[in-house]
Amino acid sequence: MANGESESGHPPDLMNKLTSLCKRRGFVFQSSEIYGGVGSVYDYGPLGVELKNNLRQAWWREMVHRRADIEGLDAGILMNSRVWEASGHVEGFTDPLVECRNCHRRFRADELEGVQCPSCGMSGTFTEPRQFNLMFKTFMGPVEDEGAVAYLRPETAQGIYVNFRNVHETARQKIPFGIAQVGKAFRNEITPGNFIFRTREFEQMEMQYFVKPGTDAEWFEAWMERRMDWVRRLGITPERLRFYEHGADELAHYAKAAFDIQYHFPFGWQEFEGIHNRTDFDLSRHQEFSRKKLEYFDPASGDRFLPYVIETSAGLDRTLLVVLADAYAEEEIEGEKRVLLHLHPHLAPIKAAVFPLVKKDGMPEVARRVADSLRESLPVFYDETGSIGRRYRRQDEAGTPYCITIDGVTLEDESVTVRDRDTLRQERVPIAGLRQHLQAALEADPL
Ligand code: GAP
């Protein structure tokens, strides 16, 4: 372990550094900050929303556009509350909650080590655990009675199951095929924390793959491999990735088998994506509760069956935290420290920054012209304030892969310097060929 590094190989105190970089550079802000914040909800700023969009699009491209056998969907967050009875969430989506009688802080009983309160230090003060349902409840329509209860969805998966027939019939897919969806999910977590790792409002990127029973184990393995491969292609350090198999006592109520993809965060190994064999649990429950046939008829064999489901379920915000934590680096160059985000160029919020070396001699005018023309095809950022070194550092912290500088030579021969964020190499490129140059560089490592 290098001096000062944590066990996961990250720089010391990474979570605090990352939180402060995210705020300083406009990636992530605390929700309702001017009112003192709200329990574990975060807002994505100008750079954060770009990064999040890029990650979501990369997932969509991988899971929908590249696959003839997967269709997209965007279902509502609010659903008929019977959905959550059928899915088992009303009854079983709970965590064991205890309260310290001394300081009145609440904890998840399964996360406590021993009888001592982690907040006030008193021993033996916990109440008996009671099951606490994590779903947010609200009412639909103007009357707030039991019949009007609605839930904010705690997972996007159910929107897919209830649309299984719609999608299968309209898209004319044959089994095996999948349905993918990205969207908000809400959980009233007892102990949210670690920045955007565990929040009460988050986005999921889920895909449900419907297969013939008996072929599920094979598909489960194939999806484990495929999903790990994608995570590696994002550029995540392979040594900080591993699979974790759920033991029988850890399996969710719907799962026959489950593997997490875990990342070695500064606070330990934790999941950010799960691959689950949900069997025909969800479809059979929806068939029972809705009294609508959800069976699949296989024209080739003449068989009729309820498909099994292999689910891949990733948190968008949590994957984004993996991307940020893994990209964060501190380097020393000629005695000066620089902080940078080694983001995959496809994920980087800004692809190129354009600077005039100095704010005179017509350089800003040329630089603005270059920035405006690039802006037609790429997100670019123009900056003329501060020393050139400071401007480079700001872009390093934003993860911008290329910085373009207009200098004295540009005025003579219409060429600019292009600086590479990671290697710090600079090369001269004619303005006329700049767009193609950047596009070729960005395409060199497609996601
Ligand atoms: N449909 C299956 C499902 O929801 P899960 O393991 O409960 O499975 C899947 O959640 C993923 O959603 C997790 O791996 C994580 O990335 C993300 N996730 C779950 N709860 C979260 C929370 N409170 N905050 C942020 N992300 C969360």
Side-chain angles (χ1 to χ4, degrees):
M1 212 187 296
N3 193 19
E5 280 185 349
S6 70
E7 197 192 327
S8 54
H10 290 109
D13 201 22
L14 176 65
M15 289 311 291
N16 282 333
K17 287 174 180 166
L18 206 52
T19 311
S20 104
L21 183 147
C22 281
K23 180 163 185 210
R24 189 167 71 241
R25 287 285 165 252
F27 280 96
V28 183
F29 307 121
Q30 201 189 1
S31 163
S32 324
E33 196 185 338
I34 60 168
Y35 286 97
V38 63
S40 192
V41 180
Y42 288 90
D43 298 342
Y44 289 84
L47 294 187
V49 67
E50 294 291 335
L51 177 60
K52 200 175 177 192
N53 283 344
N54 293 342
L55 188 56
R56 192 191 289 110
Q57 269 161 23
W59 185 89
W60 194 261
R61 195 165 125 83
E62 169 74 5
M63 299 298 277
V64 182
H65 290 173
R66 281 208 182 105
R67 312 259 329 190
D69 58 346
I70 300 185
E71 305 290 339
L73 179 75
D74 183 15
I77 287 171
L78 297 171
M79 302 176 79
N80 188 312
S81 59
R82 291 275 287 161
V83 167
W84 305 109
E85 287 168 31
S87 70
H89 283 80
V90 170
E91 201 183 334
F93 195 57
T94 55
D95 277 338
L97 171 81
V98 292
E99 186 175 325
C100 171
R101 288 195 192 87
N102 181 50
C103 68
H104 300 290
R105 290 284 300 270
R106 288 171 176 176
F107 304 94
R108 261 174 69 172
D110 55 340
E111 285 183 346
L112 286 173
E113 288 166 12
V115 292
Q116 194 180 23
C117 173
S119 178
C120 69
M122 293 278 279
S123 282
T125 50
F126 292 129
T127 56
E128 280 300 304
R130 73 175 170 89
Q131 290 304 319
F132 172 76
N133 196 298
L134 301 185
M135 283 197 294
F136 279 97
K137 242 185 193 179
T138 185
F139 299 96
M140 266 215 218
V143 184
E144 297 192 358
D145 63 14
E146 267 308 296
V149 164
Y151 299 97
L152 303 189
R153 66 182 175 198
E155 62 169 11
T156 61
Q158 298 303 326
I160 293 181
Y161 303 135
V162 300
N163 277 294
F164 166 68
R165 245 175 55 177
N166 284 339
V167 175
H168 150 236
E169 284 170 10
T170 53
R172 294 188 296 121
Q173 285 282 1
K174 289 197 178 63
I175 271 176
F177 79 95
I179 305 176
Q181 152 158 257
V182 183
K184 290 269 186 179
F186 303 83
R187 295 182 190 179
N188 199 1
E189 300 281 0
I190 298 170
T191 48
N194 282 322
F195 193 33
I196 53 171
F197 178 81
R198 183 174 287 120
T199 52
R200 294 194 169 110
E201 174 177 341
F202 54 97
E203 258 180 88
Q204 287 188 317
M205 309 187 285
E206 296 199 305
M207 192 280 300
Q208 315 296 320
Y209 203 71
F210 300 91
V211 305
K212 190 167 183 173
T215 65
D216 47 311
E218 208 177 300
W219 279 112
F220 187 81
E221 268 197 33
W223 276 112
M224 274 177 60
E225 205 174 300
R226 178 103 203 162
R227 292 307 303 148
M228 183 62 107
D229 176 59
W230 184 74
V231 173
R232 291 210 183 102
R233 272 186 276 137
L234 293 179
I236 308 303
T237 310
E239 294 74 35
R240 295 197 190 119
L241 290 168
R242 73 177 188 192
F243 279 115
Y244 171 82
E245 183 176 8
H246 283 218
D249 55 335
E250 295 168 292
L251 287 173
H253 60 272
Y254 50 72
K256 166 175 153 186
F259 274 77
D260 291 338
I261 302 180
Q262 290 190 333
Y263 179 73
H264 202 171
F265 287 97
F267 46 88
W269 287 96
Q270 294 286 344
E271 75 156 300
F272 61 100
E273 171 153 358
I275 295 102
H276 312 131
N277 184 343
R278 295 181 72 135
T279 69
D280 60 1
F281 175 84
D282 301 273
L283 288 183
S284 68
R285 295 274 292 187
H286 287 306
Q287 182 166 268
E288 182 192 334
F289 278 64
S290 70
R291 302 217 185 92
K292 298 282 183 319
K293 278 260 173 275
L294 297 178
E295 282 175 338
Y296 173 82
F297 175 70
D298 182 3
S301 64
D303 289 346
R304 211 174 268 283
F305 57 86
L306 268 185
Y308 268 35
V309 169
I310 305 303
E311 169 184 68
T312 72
S313 174
L316 175 53
D317 313 68
R318 207 179 275 185
T319 308
L320 194 140
L321 183 61
V322 169
V323 164
L324 283 173
D326 211 66
Y328 184 99
E330 293 170 349
E331 292 179 358
E332 207 165 292
I333 293 160
E334 291 161 7
E336 245 191 85
K337 192 177 125 181
R338 78 161 176 156
V339 169
L340 76 158
L341 295 180
H342 284 289
L343 294 173
H344 189 295
H346 280 259
L347 299 182
I350 302 167
K351 307 301 179 200
V354 182
F355 313 140
L357 182 63
V358 288
K359 236 188 326 187
K360 57 181 187 186
D361 302 336
M363 288 184 208
E365 289 75 11
V366 180
R368 279 185 197 281
R369 179 163 55 82
V370 168
D372 287 344
S373 106
L374 289 177
R375 204 168 275 127
E376 289 295 316
S377 46
L378 294 169
V380 298
F381 184 79
Y382 174 82
D383 191 2
E384 58 178 29
T385 53
S387 73
I388 193 79
R390 291 222 13 220
R391 283 179 268 165
Y392 281 145
R393 299 288 170 271
R394 281 202 285 262
Q395 293 307 315
D396 288 344
E397 282 198 344
T400 306
Y402 303 105
C403 287
I404 294 152
T405 303
I406 279 72
D407 57 14
V409 180
T410 314
L411 306 178
E412 287 163 22
D413 70 359
E414 286 273 309
S415 73
V416 295
T417 63
V418 178
R419 170 197 182 259
D420 182 293
R421 176 197 68 201
D422 298 337
T423 64
L424 294 176
R425 268 203 297 273
Q426 299 204 16
E427 56 179 321
R428 287 210 83 87
V429 177
I431 292 177
L434 189 57
R435 186 187 297 197
Q436 289 89 323
H437 176 89
L438 291 175
Q439 260 157 357
L442 290 166
E443 284 311 313
D445 186 11
L447 246 191

